[in-house]
Amino acid sequence: MKLKLPKKKVITANASILRRILAFLMDLLIINFIILRPFRNVLLKLMPGGSFNEAYSYLLSNQNSNAVLFFITLMISLLTMLYFVILQYKLNQTVGMMLFNLYLEPKEIKFWQALVRNLFIIPIFPFFLLWVLDPVHILFNKEGQRFTEKLSNTKVVQVYEVVR
């Protein structure tokens, strides 16, 4: 006797903004532990505690600290960029995306596509403008794509399993 079990059908659709935000926040939490934590002690020694004005005055008067701070910022940005680019290129998703069942389309992206979609991580002009442009673009784009996703011809999709 054969059992007639319902068949599963997999459907992909544009990922919800809420899931995308939650996945990104999970990625930021992971980055905080694996990338930022090792630099924390150096940064605390470099920057005085207290107000913004104290820190700003200290940086203006200590050019050596500025160079070290710039180098550390560059290293953090590079490592963060590598986290997103390598995971998206090799696995088609980051750890945060895995937790929320999100994937990139097309299924196999090229390295340049992974790089372009993560340009917002670079904290220098003009790339930091993407911090505003990307989220605004999601709101006004029918496909729910960030600006850098449009440039890289990629999008984030959610996978649903439907039982028939």
Side-chain angles (χ1 to χ4, degrees), residues 23-76:
F24 185 66
L25 289 175
M26 289 305 296
D27 286 324
L28 291 180
L29 188 64
I30 292 165
I31 286 166
N32 184 43
F33 284 112
I34 65 172
I35 296 174
L36 295 178
R37 190 164 297 267
F39 291 103
R40 187 163 286 140
N41 288 336
V42 176
L43 289 171
L44 288 172
K45 287 178 185 174
L46 261 173
M47 297 295 295
S51 70
F52 175 78
N53 287 336
E54 288 175 26
Y56 183 71
S57 297
Y58 176 80
L59 287 174
L60 284 178
S61 62
N62 294 301
Q63 294 301 319
N64 290 340
S65 294
N66 286 345
V68 173
L69 190 60
F70 177 76
F71 178 74
I72 289 172
T73 304
L74 194 61
M75 289 304 300
I76 289 170

Side-chain angles (χ1 to χ4, degrees), residues 56-121:
Y56 183 71
S57 297
Y58 176 80
L59 287 174
L60 284 178
S61 62
N62 294 301
Q63 294 301 319
N64 290 340
S65 294
N66 286 345
V68 173
L69 190 60
F70 177 76
F71 178 74
I72 289 172
T73 304
L74 194 61
M75 289 304 300
I76 289 170
S77 299
L78 177 65
L79 292 170
T80 302
M81 184 81 150
L82 285 173
Y83 169 85
F84 283 101
V85 171
I86 290 172
L87 286 175
Q88 289 177 356
Y89 175 64
K90 292 290 186 183
L91 304 176
N92 218 38
Q93 59 188 162
T94 62
V95 175
M97 292 170 76
M98 288 176 198
L99 293 172
F100 289 92
N101 207 23
L102 302 175
Y103 298 87
L104 292 179
E105 274 192 356
K107 295 228 183 262
E108 291 184 22
I109 65 172
K110 294 177 176 69
F111 185 79
W112 74 267
Q113 289 174 299
L115 196 63
V116 168
R117 59 178 282 110
N118 292 293
L119 287 174
F120 72 93
I121 295 167

